[in-house]
Amino acid sequence: VQLQASGGGLVQAGDSLRLSCAASGLTFRSATVGWFRQSPGKEREFVAAIFRGGQSLIYTDSVKGRFAISRDAAKNTVNLQMDSLRPEDTAVYYCAAGQRLILSSVRNNQAYSYWGQGTQVTVSS
C-alpha cells in the first residue's frame, strides 16, 4: 500500500488550499483515512478523519468550520479542503489510512497502518 499526499504550498492568511491523498493497493472506501500535521519541534497532531463508510467526519476543534474532509470514490482519493488558513496552520500535512480503526481511535496516529510522505503547507501573515 502506498499513499501519496499532494497539494501543499505557500499561501497568505485567509487563502485556501486543497490537499489530496491518493492510494495504490488500498480502496479508501474500506478504510478510515486521516490527516495529521506536524510543525517543527511539535508532535504530530490530528487534523481530520473520514471513518470507513464515510458516515462520520471528525475534526480537531481548531479547524472546525474551516476545513472539510471528503472522499472521491471514483478517483480513490481523500481530500482536505482548507479555507481561511491561518499562520498556525503551517505544518507538514500527512495522510494516513487504516482498515481496523474503531471510531474512538481515529485521533490516535498509532492506530493507522499506512502513511503518506507529507506535503508542506506554509501560511504567511
Side-chain angles (χ1 to χ4, degrees):
V1 174
Q2 290 188 332
L3 304 183
Q4 179 78 32
S6 62
L10 172 62
V11 297
Q12 294 186 332
D15 286 350
S16 298
L17 277 175
R18 184 177 178 86
L19 305 184
S20 184
C21 181
S24 58
L26 176 70
T27 300
F28 277 154
R29 184 176 56 212
S30 65
T32 296
V33 182
W35 285 96
F36 291 77
R37 64 187 180 187
Q38 188 167 20
S39 304
K42 295 187 177 181
E43 293 187 353
R44 190 168 298 187
E45 66 169 347
F46 170 79
V47 177
I50 180 166
F51 194 65
R52 64 177 183 275
Q55 300 303 311
S56 296
L57 308 178
I58 304 98
Y59 300 94
T60 193
D61 286 346
S62 64
V63 307
K64 285 180 180 177
R66 300 189 299 122
F67 291 12
I69 189 169
S70 62
R71 185 177 64 207
D72 186 329
K75 295 181 180 179
N76 198 32
T77 59
V78 170
N79 303 308
L80 185 68
Q81 178 67 38
M82 307 188 296
D83 298 325
S84 302
L85 282 162
R86 304 168 180 169
E88 54 264 38
D89 295 318
T90 295
V92 177
Y93 283 71
Y94 299 87
C95 61
Q99 296 171 291
R100 296 192 174 94
L101 279 81
I102 58 175
L103 189 57
S104 61
S105 67
V106 298
R107 298 172 186 269
N108 181 359
N109 60 13
Q110 296 184 356
Y112 293 81
S113 301
Y114 312 110
W115 288 83
Q117 85 289 359
T119 184
Q120 177 70 47
V121 172
T122 303
V123 185
S124 63
S125 57

